[in-house]
Amino acid sequence: MLPAVPRLLRPLLLAIAAVFAALLVLLPATGASAHPVGSTGVFVTVQSDAVDVKMQIQKAGFVAATGYDLATDQAELDAVADNLMTFILNRVTMRDEVAKLTPEVTEDPEFVTVNDEDSIETTIRFTDGHRPIEGAITLDYGFILDVVPSHQVYVALVSDWNNGQVAEGDPEVVGVLGGGVTEITLDRAQQTPLHGFFSVVWLGMLHIAEGTDHLLFLTTLLIVAPSLAVRSRRGFRWTQPIPTSRAVLRATLIITSFTAGHLITLALVSLGVISFPTKPVEILVAVSIVVAAIHAIKPLMPRGELIIAGVFGLVHGTAFATTILDLNLGFGEKLVAILGFNIGVELAQLCAAVLVLPLLIWLSHARAYTPFRNVIAALAIVAASAWIIAISVDGTTVLQPVFDGIARFPVVCYLVLVAVVAVLWYFTRNGSGQGEADAAPLAPAEPTAADVDVLEHEASSERTPA
């Protein structure tokens, strides 16, 4: 049965790609909502010396509360913006345990679409000079509720750095106002900057652990670590195995190159030095996976994985920075957050490398490694293509349930990977007597570790390392 594997590999991959392509066309994508339809969303961000309150006010509720029956016309809204904000500031207050905080409009009202409904979005900052925010903070939100008590206002906490609350994704809903209730208190029992630092380290680790796109990019880079690109008649090709120490060194250089790339843009974008549109960045992250996967199938150049890791690391760092920006931190807190988040990312990457690299090195001593590497690369291309399509149409990839399942059962998935590697190695390992003879058609004989230095010397004489 084994000699038939190479002949079946290409149609199998084509069939998988065709199934995924059909799913992309036939299955609808869904999006998340900021808050339920027909309600107002209030998003609270607590900084060391200020509290930002972003409001997404449903237009129908706004009309009922103010009497301004505005068309969805920004110019018309701008004409009444001053009166509107004065009206709101008289009905939305905040205090901490020391005193009442002074409001200041930091983002003028503008029309936005939330849950397919017309809404008005504005942001108010509450401060008391430059003194730190002390203890629990209480929000009294009477706007709309004093006229329409049945209206619902969802209050969500975006982040509270000193209290160690930094969350990725949708803000945490901490209460719902309405039905006569207009006040909510956020308890802040443990306040220290260290809580924020350790929370953002954990956030960085979660960003990698739950970020399938980043993990897939790292995997497609590491999968070539136990191999060497050498020149052949048809360009470059992969050959393996290579000495374990050299494979570990190559993996270290890959991770270091990736780290250098994403650290640069993570800092620059987070500090506001440069900025990029979100959608092109997300598409480029998916493109990076495609490029790394193509390189894993056939080397684009010797040590090209280092260039791919560094160049596209800049793109991934831009994507990482979105998480820091969403926390709305002050400058000093942002510096600490950049450091902590990057530490978390590196810890997660090292954990992934420690778990995966030994399996790759182990399997590189079997003839199945080339088809295994090609299958993983092909699946990465399919997944990345699905992401590109979903991002382009502002939807969610139809493969998301698969990714969610992997994230939900990581131990089971890892054990399955170990089992697959063990089976492939057992039946196609080098020097296994009859098993080796049966597996011979799987791939051309690969050089032993002792021959690698000779191969690398010959290859280096024909090309310049990247």
Side-chain angles (χ1 to χ4, degrees), residues 180-193:
V181 178
T182 64
E183 188 175 279
I184 183 172
T185 298
L186 304 180
D187 184 24
R188 307 172 68 234
Q190 300 176 342
Q191 299 179 59
T192 169

Side-chain angles (χ1 to χ4, degrees), residues 33-293:
S33 298
H35 51 83
V37 175
S39 63
T40 289
V42 174
F43 303 93
V44 180
T45 301
V46 184
Q47 301 181 21
S48 59
D49 58 355
V51 181
D52 286 339
V53 177
K54 174 181 286 188
M55 295 176 286
Q56 293 176 342
I57 306 165
Q58 181 203 26
K59 182 184 173 184
F62 164 80
V63 172
T66 65
Y68 288 118
D69 191 4
L70 301 176
T72 310
D73 184 342
Q74 186 62 40
E76 191 175 348
L77 178 60
D78 292 340
V80 299
D82 291 341
N83 290 338
L84 169 62
M85 296 314 299
T86 299
F87 191 79
I88 292 177
L89 294 180
N90 286 330
R91 287 162 176 77
V92 179
T93 63
M94 180 167 287
R95 64 181 184 274
D96 65 1
E97 292 184 353
V98 176
K100 183 177 179 179
L101 304 177
T102 302
E104 175 190 2
V105 179
T106 56
E107 292 184 10
D108 292 329
E110 63 176 350
F111 279 113
V112 295
T113 301
V114 180
N115 301 327
D116 297 324
E117 289 189 340
D118 292 330
S119 302
I120 296 173
E121 183 175 274
T122 185
T123 301
I124 302 172
R125 172 165 295 175
F126 293 88
T127 61
D128 187 8
H130 294 289
R131 75 165 177 84
I133 302 298
E134 300 286 350
I137 56 176
T138 300
L139 171 67
D140 190 338
Y141 191 93
F143 182 60
I144 301 181
L145 297 180
D146 57 352
V147 178
V148 188
S150 61
H151 187 76
Q152 290 185 317
V153 176
Y154 283 75
V155 181
L157 179 64
V158 177
S159 68
D160 184 351
W161 175 261
N162 283 354
N163 208 42
Q165 298 181 42
V166 291
E168 185 175 15
D170 292 334
E172 177 189 0
V173 176
V174 293
V176 181
L177 305 178
V181 178
T182 64
E183 188 175 279
I184 183 172
T185 298
L186 304 180
D187 184 24
R188 307 172 68 234
Q190 300 176 342
Q191 299 179 59
T192 169
L194 284 178
H195 284 135
F197 174 77
F198 288 122
S199 294
V200 86
V201 168
W202 179 246
L203 182 60
M205 296 184 69
L206 286 179
H207 193 84
I208 292 297
E210 298 176 355
T212 315
D213 49 354
H214 301 299
L215 276 178
L216 198 53
F217 178 65
L218 184 62
T219 300
T220 53
L221 292 173
L222 289 179
I223 202 169
V224 303
S227 306
L228 179 69
V230 296
R231 189 181 295 276
S232 65
R233 297 174 184 174
R234 299 181 180 179
F236 293 101
R237 67 180 179 87
W238 292 115
T239 183
Q240 66 273 326
I242 63 176
T244 299
S245 59
R246 183 164 298 177
V248 172
L249 175 60
R250 285 168 58 80
T252 302
L253 292 175
I254 290 170
I255 294 176
T256 301
S257 182
F258 183 46
T259 299
H262 71 63
L263 177 58
I264 292 172
T265 47
L266 172 63
L268 293 178
V269 176
S270 297
L271 295 175
V273 178
I274 57 176
S275 63
F276 301 96
T278 301
K279 182 180 289 188
V281 170
E282 292 177 344
I283 291 177
L284 282 175
V285 167
V287 169
S288 72
I289 298 172
V290 175
V291 174

Side-chain angles (χ1 to χ4, degrees), residues 19 84 95 122 127 149 175 198 205 247 254 312 326 333 355 367 369 404:
V19 171
L84 169 62
R95 64 181 184 274
T122 185
T127 61
F198 288 122
M205 296 184 69
I254 290 170
F312 283 106
D326 287 345
E333 296 164 346
L355 290 173
R367 291 184 173 86
Y369 193 71
D404 291 341

